[in-house]
């Protein structure tokens, strides 16, 4: 049997979200379902008639990162394979690439990947902040200042991110322009003697904060400004009442991993990125 797999409007998202939550409870996992991302995800439903049997959440357009879920009552019928194949077809039609994200705690991840000849290409570690492990703020340099970016700081934020990550300025400029006017996103700038040297981005909702796009100008790296910006931001968030604070890092990015742990973050989930090597 082949389910009908189709992209659905936002009005049908609650049913899909409920399916993902059901899978989380059944498998003791936490599938990465992020609705407040830089661009809204695309969601697709797999149905037999009116019965929802599976779902897909896709982040990105040309480079798709997909999360799939199959209703526990409908597993072992090839639906997962068909969901992955559909993601691959959509990516191919767009001239892009694709990956499937999976919570490594799931017992079915390894056998499923083996059955579909998928290779684990990378692992992202999600860390949660333990407020009890956040170190006190050090004595701050007298010329150190941290502030929230305003709309007219777009060029400053763009310059730091492009320099820190080596990304094309025009792409960073478009990304910053989209985020800096979105109330879900707030950039935080660290300055030394009035010169912006570091930036990070906060994705916020009423209960949770995700820290992302964290970078320091290359010529200023190694001087502790990144740690100062992160710690200053964490103390302000905790004072404001936020306790669910998260950050992600590639498993093999040892310097960043150690920095986050030193600032009070503890590993929470490991998300594998699965695909087929070209």
């Amino acid at each position: 049997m082949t389910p009908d797999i189709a992209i659905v409007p936002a009005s049908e998202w609650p049913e899909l979200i409920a399916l993902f939550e059901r899978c989380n409870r059944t498998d003791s996992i936490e599938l990465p379902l992020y609705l407040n991302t830089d661009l809204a995800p695309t969601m697709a439903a797999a149905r037999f008639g009116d019965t929802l049997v599976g779902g897909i959440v896709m982040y990105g357009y040309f480079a798709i990162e997909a999360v799939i879920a199959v209703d526990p009552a409908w597993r072992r019928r090839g639906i997962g394979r068909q969901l992955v194949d559909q993601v691959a077809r959509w990516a191919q039609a767009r001239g892009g690439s694709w990956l499937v994200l999976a919570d490594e705690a799931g017992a079915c991840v390894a056998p499923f990947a083996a059955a579909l000849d998928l290779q684990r290409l990378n692992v992202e570690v999600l860390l949660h902040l333990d407020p009890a492990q956040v170190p006190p703020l050090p004595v701050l340099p007298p010329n150190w200042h941290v502030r929230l970016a305003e709309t007219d700081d777009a060029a400053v934020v763009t310059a730091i991110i492009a320099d820190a990550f080596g990304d094309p300025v025009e792409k960073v400029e478009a990304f910053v322009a989209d985020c800096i006017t979105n109330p879900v996103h707030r950039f935080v700038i660290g300055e030394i003697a009035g010169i912006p040297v570091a930036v990070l981005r906060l994705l916020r909702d009423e209960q949770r904060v995700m820290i992302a796009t964290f970078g320091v100008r290359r010529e200023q790296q190694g001087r502790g400004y990144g740690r100062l910006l992160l710690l200053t931001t964490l103390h302000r968030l905790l004072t404001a009442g936020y306790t669910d604070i998260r950050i992600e890092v590639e498993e093999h990015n040892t310097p960043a991993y150690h920095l986050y742990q030193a600032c009070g973050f503890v590993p929470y989930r490991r998300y594998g990125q699965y695909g087929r090597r070209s």
Side-chain angles (χ1 to χ4, degrees):
M1 298 176 64
T2 301
D4 177 39
I5 304 173
I7 293 173
V8 299
S11 60
E12 297 183 30
W13 286 12
E15 186 181 13
L16 281 167
I17 293 169
L19 168 65
F20 276 80
E21 291 175 345
R22 191 158 59 249
C23 292
N24 285 342
R25 291 192 298 270
T26 299
D27 301 328
S28 298
I29 59 175
E30 187 174 306
L31 293 168
L33 183 61
Y34 307 131
L35 303 184
N36 292 326
T37 53
D38 306 326
L39 296 174
T42 300
M43 300 183 75
R47 301 182 188 274
F48 286 118
D50 294 331
T51 303
L52 179 68
V53 298
I56 308 171
V57 179
M58 292 183 290
Y59 306 103
Y61 186 83
F62 292 108
I64 296 174
E65 293 188 347
V67 185
I68 68 169
V70 178
D71 189 294
W74 287 86
R75 292 178 179 174
R76 301 185 184 279
R77 307 188 193 194
I79 296 171
R81 178 186 293 272
Q82 292 176 69
L83 292 174
V84 172
D85 288 345
Q86 182 60 66
V87 170
R89 285 192 292 270
W90 278 330
Q92 184 178 23
R94 297 172 180 180
S97 60
W98 61 275
L99 293 168
V100 174
L101 305 179
D103 185 341
E104 295 290 278
C108 63
V109 172
F112 180 76
L116 271 66
D117 193 28
L118 300 178
Q119 295 177 300
R120 189 171 64 190
L121 306 177
N122 193 18
V123 174
E124 291 273 353
V125 181
L126 175 65
L127 302 99
H128 279 192
L129 186 71
D130 179 357
Q133 296 189 40
V134 178
L137 278 174
V139 177
L140 300 176
N143 53 359
W144 173 252
H145 179 59
V146 172
R147 62 182 178 86
L148 289 174
E150 302 296 339
T151 304
D152 57 5
D153 287 310
V156 170
V157 173
T158 296
I160 296 174
I161 294 173
D163 182 62
F165 296 101
D167 293 332
V169 172
E170 60 276 8
K171 290 187 177 181
V172 176
E173 187 174 46
F175 163 73
V176 171
D178 285 339
C179 293
I180 206 164
T181 57
N182 186 333
V184 172
H185 306 261
R186 289 306 301 266
F187 289 100
V188 183
I189 299 172
E191 298 177 336
I192 194 77
I195 299 174
V197 296
V199 70
L200 59 76
R201 180 168 55 100
L202 307 176
L203 288 85
R204 305 175 300 168
D205 58 30
E206 293 181 357
Q207 299 176 332
R208 179 182 305 171
V209 175
M210 176 72 80
I211 296 176
T213 323
F214 177 26
V216 180
R217 284 186 179 274
R218 294 186 186 185
E219 64 181 16
Q220 302 289 350
Q221 292 177 4
R223 303 183 185 185
Y225 296 143
R227 186 175 188 273
L228 275 179
L229 177 59
L230 182 57
L231 276 178
T232 304
T233 302
L234 292 177
H235 277 269
R236 292 183 179 181
L237 288 171
L238 291 171
T239 299
Y242 288 100
T243 55
D244 187 349
I245 303 172
R246 307 180 178 197
I247 198 166
E248 286 185 335
V249 63
E250 288 189 4
E251 187 174 52
H252 299 300
N253 187 349
T254 303
Y257 197 100
H258 287 168
L259 170 63
Y260 302 156
Q261 287 188 304
C263 290
F265 286 95
V266 295
Y268 175 65
R269 295 282 180 182
R270 297 173 68 252
Y271 291 115
Q273 299 177 337
Y274 290 84
R276 298 189 176 104
R277 296 189 187 276
S278 57

